[in-house]
Amino acid sequence: MDALRQYFPFLIPVAVLEVGLMVGALVHLLRRMKTRNLNVGAWAVIIVVFEIIGPVLYFLIGREED
Amino acid sequence: MNSFLVFTAKELREQLKTFKGVVVLVVLLIFGMTSPLLAKLTPEILKLAGAGVKIQIPTPTYIDAYAQFFKNIGQMVMIVVILVFSGGVVSETSKGTAQMMLTKRLSRSSFILSKFLSDACVWTISYAASAGLCICYTVYLFPTGNPAHLFLSLFCMWLFGIMTIAVSLLTSTVFNNYALSAVGAFCLWGLISLISSIPKITDYAPSALGGDNMGLISGSIAPAALRVPILTGVLISALLLLAACLLFRRREL
């Protein structure tokens, strides 16, 4: 456990990127409330539940063009 | 030439606006950092998971860190690259924006080539950042050990990515639907790997670019062995681009 705690600072940037991607996707979704392929609620769940993959999929196939 | 550069710059801006560039960059950065960390922490995590049970795990070294990195880039990141870049031309042809661009004195070949150039820029910048982070983390977490031919190994994986981008660009010009284009790109990519595994071809095939990286780092593969795969990798990428240009010229928009 000590070893894990010792490397905790290294995990912070990873967590920041992952959470940033998720929040970015959620903000993008909630500001438009328009999606493709699935409805808004389903995309919100996908973004939150699936780390990295969820937001990536949303930006690729779920995002409504402006 | 001028319109080519202008269009490439516009493409790069578009990559940011549609979050494609951001997605590739973030995914690569995450893998660049997590690979050495995971190599370092796996024994600790296993110890926690099997509390009380004695598990014998060899102490991880820098080799494990780079092995994780190349495995992640060669599989997960390539999947993301195909998913992101196989929509490039499709989205423009299906929306009709490609037609608008092509009437503005931009030849069809330049259209394809500037798409490729902007995709390659995004890949190169993201990959360089990711590899840099991975090296920094690895040097800090595993101070001992000196990887052989690290840069050649990294370059091979970069070229492998460029070839993957060329594959996605070709299917993106052939099909007029994103799903078909992505599936087509996976099939074509798989086909190249499959052909590469035929015994007599293996030594010359470009799949070595994404597979022999660890051999180079541990020193079990001589750099000279990669000479032909690098050449065929460049050649196949060029042929794929040529095919994309020719097909796009004949295509009705």
Side-chain angles (χ1 to χ4, degrees), chain B:
Chain B
M1 193 63 202
N2 196 20
S3 61
F4 175 75
L5 288 179
V6 171
F7 187 69
T8 309
K10 179 223 144 232
E11 269 307 304
L12 278 171
R13 276 197 301 275
E14 198 88 342
Q15 299 262 15
L16 285 179
K17 235 176 77 186
T18 58
F19 298 96
K20 284 179 178 174
V22 183
V23 162
V24 174
L25 178 68
V26 171
V27 168
L28 268 157
L29 286 181
I30 289 175
F31 280 120
M33 288 187 283
T34 48
S35 301
L37 269 176
L38 214 60
K40 185 84 184 176
L41 293 179
T42 300
E44 305 293 334
I45 295 168
L46 282 179
K47 250 185 244 165
L48 276 184
V53 188
K54 266 260 177 272
I55 315 171
Q56 286 294 329
I57 314 153
T59 322
T61 62
Y62 68 95
I63 300 262
D64 298 293
Y66 287 120
Q68 277 281 349
F69 178 72
F70 285 118
K71 199 190 79 192
N72 286 334
I73 301 274
Q75 296 170 359
M76 285 299 288
V77 173
M78 289 303 152
I79 292 173
V80 172
V81 163
I82 289 182
L83 284 177
V84 169
F85 293 129
S86 59
V89 182
V90 168
S91 63
E92 301 237 10
T93 46
S94 58
K95 273 188 297 179
T97 41
Q99 252 164 319
M100 233 156 55
M101 285 299 140
L102 291 170
T103 49
K104 286 184 180 168
R105 282 197 303 169
L106 185 76
S107 78
R108 291 192 170 201
S109 306
S110 327
F111 179 83
I112 296 292
L113 289 178
S114 69
K115 279 264 178 204
F116 175 73
L117 190 63
S118 75
D119 290 355
C121 279
V122 169
W123 161 247
T124 307
I125 293 168
S126 316
Y127 179 71
S130 167
L133 267 178
C134 177
I135 293 174
C136 291
Y137 267 52
T138 307
V139 167
Y140 187 84
L141 293 171
F142 306 97
T144 52
N146 190 17
H149 313 300
L150 175 61
F151 285 96
L152 178 65
S153 182
L154 287 171
F155 169 77
C156 286
M157 190 49 102
W158 173 81
L159 190 59
F160 193 62
I162 291 287
M163 197 181 76
T164 310
I165 291 175
V167 166
S168 336
L169 200 70
L170 174 63
T171 55
S172 177
T173 47
V174 173
F175 296 108
N176 46 15
N177 168 313
Y178 171 67
L180 269 179
S181 162
V183 171
F186 279 116
C187 291
L188 188 57
W189 196 59
L191 192 71
I192 293 177
S193 311
L194 202 69
I195 294 174
S196 298
S197 61
I198 297 172
K200 280 188 180 163
I201 306 177
T202 309
D203 291 344
Y204 312 104
S207 284
L209 296 174
D212 283 353
N213 315 73
M214 282 326 290
L216 278 175
I217 285 191
S218 62
S220 64
I221 294 175
L226 264 295
R227 224 174 266 160
V228 183
I230 287 175
L231 266 178
T232 48
V234 172
L235 204 69
I236 288 181
S237 310
L239 282 177
L240 287 168
L241 276 181
L242 185 70
C245 287
L246 291 177
L247 285 170
F248 195 61
R249 266 193 212 168
R250 297 204 181 154
R251 205 179 141 168
E252 278 185 37
L253 290 175

Side-chain angles (χ1 to χ4, degrees), chain A:
Chain A
M1 197 62 201
D2 282 344
L4 286 184
R5 207 167 289 145
Q6 184 191 339
Y7 295 114
F8 190 69
F10 288 96
L11 289 167
I12 292 173
V14 180
V16 167
L17 279 177
E18 280 183 15
V19 173
L21 198 63
M22 189 182 88
V23 170
L26 269 183
V27 168
H28 188 276
L29 173 73
L30 294 177
R31 279 174 70 182
R32 285 167 185 77
M33 293 307 271
K34 272 190 294 186
T35 49
R36 282 182 292 164
N37 295 319
L38 287 171
N39 63 30
V40 174
W43 274 118
V45 171
I46 290 174
I47 290 170
V48 176
V49 173
F50 299 101
E51 262 178 272
I52 308 177
I53 308 209
V56 167
L57 280 180
Y58 167 71
F59 280 128
L60 291 181
I61 55 174
R63 182 179 53 88
E64 183 62 70
E65 310 279 334
D66 290 321

